[in-house]
Amino acid sequence: NRKKVVIDDNTVNELQEALILSDVSFNSSERIIKKFKDGLKNQETEEEVNNEFFLGILQKEISAMLDRDDLNINFEPGGLSVFIISGVNGSGKTTTIGKLANLIVSEIGKKVMIVAADTFRAAAISQLEVWAKRVGVEFFSNESKDPSSVVYSAIEEAEKKDVEVIIIDTAGRLGTNNDLMMELSKIENVIKKQMGKGPIENLLVLDGTSGQNALSQIEKFKKSINLTGIVITKLDSTSKAGFAISASYDYDLPIKLIGVGETLHDLLPFVPDDFSKALFD
Amino acid sequence: KITDKITSSFKKLRGHSVITDKNIDEALKEIRLGLLEADVNYKVVKSLVDSIKEASVGKEVLKSVSPGEQFTKIFNDELIKILGSETEYLNIKVSPPAVIMMVGLQGSGKTTTAAKLSKYLKEKEKRNPCMVSADIYRPAAIEQLKILSNQVKVGFIENSSQDVIEICKNAFKSAYNQGYDTLIIDTAGRLQIDDSMIQELKSIKSEVTIHETLLIIDSMLGQEAINVAKTFNDEVGIEGIALTKLDGDARGGAALSAKFITNKPIKFYGSGEKMDALDIFHPDRMASRILG
Ligand SMILES: Nc1nc2c(ncn2[C@@H]2O[C@H](COP(=O)(O)OP(=O)(O)OP(=O)(O)O)[C@@H](O)[C@H]2O)c(=O)[nH]1
Ligand SMILES: Nc1nc2c(ncn2[C@@H]2O[C@H](COP(=O)(O)OP(=O)(O)OP(=O)(O)O)[C@@H](O)[C@H]2O)c(=O)[nH]1
Ligand SMILES: [Mg+2]
Ligand SMILES: [Mg+2]
């Protein structure tokens, strides 16, 4: 009992509007809708052709754009795993590190040290130290105002204490600030010299409430450091972080984790299917 | 840039004597796209494009300027209509202490802006401000504000309690008793859909007279700016808006959406992390930023 699938312009416009309202870029929404419409041509189905039917197809298409085989957090097989966490001011780096340390300790059982390399902002070190105590992991900070020097000393200390994973908190910075972007690549270089290779995870923390500027951040951070993945925070808000589609597809970066709240347990693995469904909620 | 796109799609107006639906159709499409890319809310874009169309169609094509320039002026004027044409100041000409409360989403820049504002009031307005932190949730939030108060050399009211309402009531009393003419209350970041946290702000306002509630908005905020601003304004009530992180390359369309939905004035903007990086908001400068 197969019938031809037909979609009217109004429905297409509503679907595109939903994407745009979810902070999907206009260009991404155009490409997604075009591929969606092309895919419907000459399609027949026995199912009822209604909004749910169209949403299901669209969600599958978006999920495929977000799906990759490198969505896991990677660890160094034979030695100390170094993670750098960077991102724009207020995006949720420090909080995410607390949550990530907790995740690693409770689910993977590795010994973690978190490093306070935000030597600039008021109470940044104290804030991170509270998280270290909450999780019960090693904490490193020193008097230096130079984040690279803090990182260097932290790695030396970590090796003495048989730490298996160090997670480095950095100061918030805008991608447009050249000096701060150079500071970040200097930290990466210090790690390369000291460890013989770059950090195994170099994660960009993006505020899930941001609009298209998130893509500009990815572009600028990617130029300065070798990003390995993205964390999107604040997905417990009403924002949908539609920029994730372009982040993954156009910038070729895996979204590895999402932040869904302010407590220790509010960090989840990124699941493409769940994310694409939530876009239309 | 939106203005470049308008100029090129305006070449169509050359040789025409009147602006019609047809000859500005392409320009309106470019404007729509440009505004969306600037993170202006979809619904605000629709409304703005309609009002630009209304202000343009039927108008005579001026010979003295290029068609692109004429249209850009109309567009700019419609943007300014939404953003406001004059700078509006804080409502703090009251018997002291005037109380200002900072509210907004997590990480938007409330604590930093509170300190910048206190410095501004002290140095530019010759006031005697103090600050208190009502953020009992975020690790080291109180310490952060205290350090900043020392940096800008303004009063800091120590926390007297673990209860947010008590903290605010006691801060008001202390500010009064210690002769401060302005009290700035820093609150915890919260989602507009967090009913208990929105209720917390309402409870503060029911127990302490807040003369100026300032909604702090990150200039990178996306499409939800309209819902965030609407809820904070409808539920808590705000007197003004302040934008932060304008030293980045975010176009700041969220400002337009927030102003559009609340009709509350944008009063200040932050353009850096240092304590002197706070400026009075100028609608025309924001319009050119959104125009790209
Ligand atoms: N609702 C919600 N809030 C979050 C989430 N992640 C972080 N936050 C909050 O966002 C605010 C900023 O978090 P921080 O961890 O200090 O952000 P940061 O990137 O380290 O900030 P800077 O170091 O100043 O650049 C805090 O109030 C956090 O509690 C999340 O997933 N959901
Ligand atoms: N570049 C830049 N950074 C800013 C600006 N305003 C605030 N920041 C930074 O943004 C980050 C967050 O600022 P906070 O003042 O802690 O934000 P908040 O709203 O108090 O955060 P919560 O209390 O966690 O909700 C900090 O790193 C600030 O230094 C600004 O105008 N420009
Ligand atoms: Mg931090
Ligand atoms: Mg704060």
Side-chain angles (χ1 to χ4, degrees), chain A residues 13 17 20-23 26-27 88-90 120-123 126-127 130-131 134 172-174 176 180 207 209-213 216-217 220 234 236-240 262, chain B residues 32-33 36-37 39 41-43 46 105-107 137-140 143-144 147-148 151 189 191-193 218 220-224 227-228 245 247-251 273-274:
Chain A
N13 287 336
E17 178 174 330
I20 293 173
L21 286 172
S22 303
D23 288 311
F26 184 80
N27 288 337
V88 160
N89 307 73
F120 169 75
R121 209 209 68 209
S126 311
Q127 182 188 4
V130 171
W131 283 108
R134 280 183 186 174
R173 68 203 64 222
L174 296 176
T176 46
L180 291 182
D207 189 324
T209 66
S210 8
Q212 298 312 302
N213 191 256
S216 162
Q217 290 167 42
K220 304 248 163 34
K234 309 180 193 173
D236 46 320
S237 70
T238 52
S239 297
K240 299 295 167 74
E262 300 186 80
Chain B
R32 219 174 124 251
L33 175 57
L36 285 176
E37 286 175 346
D39 291 324
N41 181 272
Y42 190 82
K43 301 187 172 84
K46 268 193 189 162
L105 296 178
Q106 290 88 344
Y137 311 95
R138 171 173 154 151
E143 183 184 338
Q144 183 187 4
I147 290 172
L148 294 179
Q151 275 180 29
L191 301 178
Q192 85 277 13
I193 48 168
D218 189 324
M220 294 165 17
L221 188 55
Q223 292 287 311
E224 281 299 300
N227 292 328
V228 171
K245 309 176 200 171
D247 44 323
D249 57 359
R251 301 265 290 284
E273 291 193 79
K274 298 218 171 75

Side-chain angles (χ1 to χ4, degrees), chain A residues 3-23:
Chain A
K3 54 187 180 305
K4 207 163 177 311
V5 175
V6 174
I7 190 169
D8 63 274
D9 282 348
N10 251 359
T11 306
V12 174
N13 287 336
E14 282 178 4
L15 289 171
Q16 183 163 12
E17 178 174 330
L19 289 173
I20 293 173
L21 286 172
S22 303
D23 288 311

Side-chain angles (χ1 to χ4, degrees), chain A residues 92-95 118 121 124 127 169-172, chain B residues 138:
Chain A
K93 301 174 287 304
T94 305
T95 309
D118 177 355
R121 209 209 68 209
Q127 182 188 4
D169 189 15
T170 62
Chain B
R138 171 173 154 151

